Amino acid sequence: VKLLTDRAPGGLPDSIVLDNRPLGEALADDRISAVLCGPGLGQDTQARDRLVAVLDSGLLTVLDADALTLLRSADLPHKGATILTPHEG
């Protein structure tokens, strides 16, 4: 599992590989077939831009947490299959 982030959260398991390349470059990596977007994303303009980049990538996308909030607040385009994970809490 690869984590695309510019900051490393604490307590990551060894199976998580950090990738701090620019998001567009990372999403173009043909080894990536799916993206989870939302947990820790935030809800500011930069977060919305990242969500748009993910949705525009054409990759299978799972949206959770902040991504669902951003998606609800705007009509965002998406090219690939998208799975939404709404839940309470």
Side-chain angles (χ1 to χ4, degrees):
V1 173
K2 186 175 282 195
L3 177 63
L4 306 175
T5 185
D6 55 3
R7 60 187 184 279
L12 288 177
D14 292 338
S15 60
I16 301 290
V17 176
L18 290 178
D19 187 339
N20 61 0
R21 291 180 291 173
L23 182 58
E25 184 180 324
L27 292 173
D29 187 331
D30 61 4
R31 296 173 294 176
I32 296 176
S33 60
V35 177
L36 167 64
C37 183
L41 181 65
Q43 298 178 20
D44 59 10
T45 302
Q46 185 179 27
R48 185 184 184 286
D49 292 346
R50 288 178 178 173
L51 176 57
V52 168
V54 168
L55 293 174
D56 198 40
S57 72
L59 295 168
L60 170 65
T61 303
V62 178
L63 299 180
D64 192 24
D66 289 334
L68 292 175
T69 301
L70 289 169
L71 188 67
R72 182 177 54 180
S73 67
D75 184 24
L76 300 176
H78 59 282
K79 293 182 178 178
T82 305
I83 299 170
L84 306 178
T85 61
H87 54 83
E88 290 187 39

